[in-house]
């Protein structure tokens, strides 16, 4: 456990916060501990087909912007996708090939919607509050017609996100908060771009809504710090970071290391691709 002793009078150490870390703790404190605190990290797995697909598509979209503008042509997309393709988690070669063709179709359909030069591609944005040091990597940051920033997040899963998903997403609000500070520009619009259906779910966030999400993130960060301190003070780590078993355990990377998770049937690595 990494918690350092706190000397009297020292300000509280900021909690390192990313959307993944905050989400992991909020979903299941034990998963947070396995992923970010326990060393060596407990065995993870299996490699998930839907994660491979998502990573491949995200990286191909990032690499599109590394192609010189004059050479950005739909004909380069198969090459980009081949270069970034992650092969793990598929049932067999025929399934992998079918999913590859599916991903290529998504990318080719999405190309006309790509801006020529976004303000940021997989851009890290960061912000500090009195409780946490937040950082995250936004898939894309665009300039809207009014000059304000637009946060774009690519989605490749089966669920089609809607406006409410965009509005309620803690990650998008935190990206908007941090990007606004980094670029010193207003950032209210957030968008979920669902590649499989070509739909865009957009929301205009108010400052109050962003502030509420920052407060929620700070509350989670405070809980993380309290749990780490409890362990440093002698509390049983299993008690400080309790399990939160549920259907999500079937998809958890640490199910095989987790006493509660082992009671839940695991998913097949390719189950998220159907
Ligand atoms: S298997 Fe379930 S209870 Fe165990 S760490 Fe994962 S999400 Fe938490």
């Amino acid at each position: 456990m990494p918690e350092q002793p706190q000397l009297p009078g020292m300000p509280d150490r900021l909690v390192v916060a990313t959307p993944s870390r905050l989400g992991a703790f909020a979903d299941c404190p034990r998963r947070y501990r396995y992923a970010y605190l326990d060393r060596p990290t407990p065995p993870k797995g299996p490699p998930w087909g839907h994660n491979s697909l998502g990573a491949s598509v995200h990286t191909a979209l990032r690499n599109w912007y590394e192609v010189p503008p004059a050479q950005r042509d739909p004909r380069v997309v198969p090459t980009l996708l081949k270069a970034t393709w992650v092969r793990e988690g598929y049932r067999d070669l025929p399934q992998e090939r079918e999913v590859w063709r599916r991903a290529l179709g998504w990318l080719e359909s999405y190309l006309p919607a790509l801006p020529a030069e976004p303000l940021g591609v997989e851009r890290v944005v960061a912000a500090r509050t009195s409780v946490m040091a937040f950082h995250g990597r936004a898939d894309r940051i665009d300039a809207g017609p009014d000059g304000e920033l637009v946060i774009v997040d690519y989605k490749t899963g089966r669920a089609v996100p809607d406006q409410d998903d965009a509005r309620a997403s803690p990650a998008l609000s935190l990206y908007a908060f941090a990007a606004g500070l980094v670029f010193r520009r207003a950032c209210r619009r957030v968008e979920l771009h669902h590649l499989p259906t070509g739909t865009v779910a957009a929301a205009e966030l108010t400052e109050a809504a962003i502030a509420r999400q920052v407060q929620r993130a700070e509350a989670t960060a405070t809980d993380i710090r309290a749990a780490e301190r409890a362990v440093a003070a002698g509390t049983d780590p299993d008690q400080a970071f309790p399990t939160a078993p549920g259907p999500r355990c079937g998809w958890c990377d640490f199910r095989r290391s987790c006493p509660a998770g082992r009671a839940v049937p695991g998913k097949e690595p390719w189950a998220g691709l159907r």
Side-chain angles (χ1 to χ4, degrees):
M1 297 285 171
E3 178 70 12
Q4 300 294 311
Q6 188 83 11
L7 298 175
M10 275 180 68
D12 276 341
R13 181 180 59 85
L14 296 182
V15 176
V16 175
T18 65
S20 299
R21 281 174 169 256
L22 294 167
F25 188 86
D27 282 349
C28 175
R30 181 67 57 84
R31 181 157 69 85
Y32 175 91
R33 196 192 95 193
Y34 288 150
Y36 300 109
L37 300 181
D38 284 3
R39 295 295 178 266
T41 305
K44 288 176 73 175
W48 299 101
H50 59 277
N51 285 349
S52 295
L53 170 62
S56 303
V57 169
H58 276 71
T59 314
L61 285 168
R62 183 197 67 199
N63 291 354
W64 170 259
Y65 287 105
E66 288 174 3
V67 177
Q71 294 166 29
R72 286 183 200 155
D73 182 284
R75 283 170 296 187
V76 305
V77 176
T79 308
L80 289 180
L81 189 59
K82 269 182 201 151
T84 66
W85 191 247
V86 181
R87 304 201 56 194
E88 295 179 317
Y90 296 100
R91 184 183 53 225
D92 50 27
L93 196 56
Q95 184 190 47
E96 184 187 339
R97 285 188 175 142
E98 186 273 317
V99 174
W100 190 87
R101 285 192 295 273
R102 216 193 292 174
L104 180 62
W106 299 347
L107 289 169
E108 288 173 340
S109 305
Y110 186 61
L111 282 192
L114 285 172
E117 291 301 335
L119 290 176
V121 175
E122 292 207 358
R123 169 74 193 252
V124 173
V125 289
R128 283 169 179 249
T129 73
S130 59
V131 178
M132 62 178 182
F134 170 82
H135 70 274
R137 194 179 293 272
D139 287 341
R140 211 173 77 213
I141 302 176
D142 293 347
D146 49 7
E148 293 196 2
L149 305 177
V150 180
I151 302 293
V152 174
D153 196 37
Y154 302 133
K155 292 288 172 197
T156 58
R158 290 175 298 178
V160 185
D162 62 18
Q163 231 178 18
D164 290 341
D165 294 315
R167 187 173 292 109
S169 162
L172 289 180
S173 285
L174 291 169
Y175 287 141
F177 168 67
L181 293 173
V182 169
F183 285 84
R184 296 172 194 264
R185 271 204 229 181
C187 184
R188 283 182 274 256
R189 187 174 175 86
V190 294
E191 297 181 350
L192 294 170
H193 290 207
H194 188 242
L195 277 286
T197 55
T199 54
V200 173
E204 299 282 340
L205 304 175
T206 62
E207 277 183 31
I210 293 172
R212 275 196 300 277
Q213 290 284 15
V214 172
Q215 281 166 9
R216 274 187 208 137
E218 288 182 321
T220 303
T222 302
D223 289 344
I224 291 171
R225 184 162 60 200
E228 289 189 21
R229 284 195 178 152
V231 172
T235 300
D236 179 352
D238 285 355
Q239 192 185 326
F241 292 89
T243 58
R248 73 171 71 88
C249 295
W251 301 97
C252 178
D253 280 340
F254 299 103
R255 192 181 67 83
R256 287 176 300 179
S257 305
C258 173
R262 281 197 293 271
V264 179
K267 300 284 183 187
E268 290 169 321
W270 51 86
L273 294 166
R274 290 189 191 123

